[in-house]
Amino acid sequence: MKILIVDDEKLLTEGISKILEEENYDVDTALNGYDGLELAKKSIYDVIILDIMLPEVDGFSIVRTLRNESVKTPILLLTAKDSVKDRVMGLDLGADDYLIKPFAAPELLARIRVLLRGKGEQTEKELGYGPIKIIEHDGYVNGIKLNLTVKEYLLLEFFILNKEQILLRDQIFNRIWGFSSEAGLNVVDVYVHHLRKKLTPFQLDHWIVTVRGIGFMLKGDKEDVS
């Protein structure tokens, strides 16, 4: 699946690109409206992630032009604007969905999966690591439900997707709380603690390893994950 990101915030664009590439999407980017429009006109993308406030050509104009030229690629508007008027205008022009900054990466990925339905995109992943499984947006150990909160679930999912790899604190933060979240970085440690408590009855809390001064890693006992 090929995705185009059109946003003039370079760091944000790079962050989104990295997340999408980790999910095995093929990503192109443009940092201004003119370049974004020219790329979008090629109709080679499965989804376009489009900021509204862009230099040269604004996002509303891009949506209008693409729809007038019968480019039917699903468009997700990504913007700091949060008024009802702006949301309605974008959707009326032909955008398919609307996501307001700041946003959490899992929500962005979920919106993309919805837009890709019908294109052969898998909407649910079956994830697991040793006795830990993710089923229907909750965690299970040996079939026993963990009753995770949303953030705990997203944290466990991210650990499993990157099992036995070191995840930096800011990497976890950006992935789960969003690039512009007002929460402090220590919220990562708080939720790691919460997740460990949920795993303690199964003697699996030590599987979330602290890499001092760097971040965390999900690494289980060798005989239990083989």
Side-chain angles (χ1 to χ4, degrees):
M1 295 291 178
K2 195 171 183 67
I3 296 178
L4 172 65
I5 305 169
V6 187
D7 195 308
D8 62 332
E9 295 183 49
K10 186 176 181 181
L11 290 178
L12 178 62
T13 300
E14 290 174 350
I16 297 173
S17 297
K18 184 176 180 180
I19 287 170
L20 295 180
E21 287 166 354
E22 287 174 354
E23 297 291 324
N24 297 316
Y25 293 114
D26 186 9
V27 181
D28 286 340
T29 63
L31 295 175
N32 64 70
Y34 177 80
D35 290 343
L37 179 58
E38 292 304 303
L39 286 171
K41 283 181 179 179
K42 296 180 180 181
S43 294
I44 61 174
Y45 300 99
D46 297 288
V47 170
I48 298 170
I49 300 172
L50 177 65
D51 190 22
I52 288 179
M53 301 298 292
L54 290 166
E56 300 189 24
V57 184
D58 66 84
F60 288 143
S61 298
I62 291 174
V63 175
R64 183 185 295 111
T65 300
L66 293 176
R67 296 312 186 226
N68 286 343
E69 296 186 11
S70 299
V71 177
K72 301 184 184 299
T73 307
I75 297 173
L76 173 63
L77 289 178
L78 183 66
T79 179
K81 285 182 172 290
D82 59 0
S83 73
V84 173
K85 180 180 177 181
D86 290 318
R87 293 198 295 270
V88 171
M89 182 175 178
L91 295 172
D92 282 347
L93 286 171
D96 298 89
D97 200 358
Y98 200 109
L99 187 59
I100 298 169
K101 302 174 185 176
F103 60 91
E107 183 179 5
L108 173 65
L109 293 171
R111 300 292 185 102
I112 291 172
R113 287 195 295 269
V114 170
L115 294 177
L116 287 172
R117 284 177 184 166
K119 291 179 174 286
E121 173 73 355
Q122 186 178 3
T123 59
E124 292 291 338
K125 292 183 178 179
E126 191 173 312
L127 297 174
Y129 183 62
I132 305 172
K133 307 294 180 187
I134 285 180
I135 305 170
E136 295 180 352
H137 301 287
D138 208 330
Y140 291 77
V141 176
N142 295 323
I144 301 174
K145 192 174 184 179
L146 296 177
N147 294 311
L148 301 176
T149 65
V150 172
K151 289 291 191 290
E152 290 167 356
Y153 165 80
L154 294 173
L155 181 59
L156 179 61
E157 180 188 48
F158 194 35
F159 275 134
I160 292 176
L161 286 169
N162 297 276
K163 55 186 177 292
E164 300 182 5
Q165 297 181 47
I166 297 173
L167 295 174
L168 306 180
R169 277 183 176 82
D170 57 355
Q171 185 181 4
I172 296 171
F173 180 83
N174 289 336
R175 173 78 174 209
I176 296 175
W177 281 270
F179 299 96
S180 304
S181 173
E182 295 180 359
L185 195 60
N186 65 335
V187 73
V188 174
D189 297 77
V190 172
Y191 274 85
V192 165
H193 174 70
H194 291 334
L195 186 55
R196 280 176 172 153
K197 285 184 68 175
K198 296 286 178 73
L199 294 172
T200 295
F202 308 96
Q203 299 182 335
L204 297 176
D205 50 300
H206 67 284
W207 281 27
I208 302 178
V209 180
T210 299
V211 183
R212 191 172 298 277
I214 299 176
F216 302 94
M217 173 174 57
L218 179 64
K219 185 174 177 61
D221 300 325
K222 197 169 186 180
E223 62 273 14
D224 293 326
V225 298
S226 57

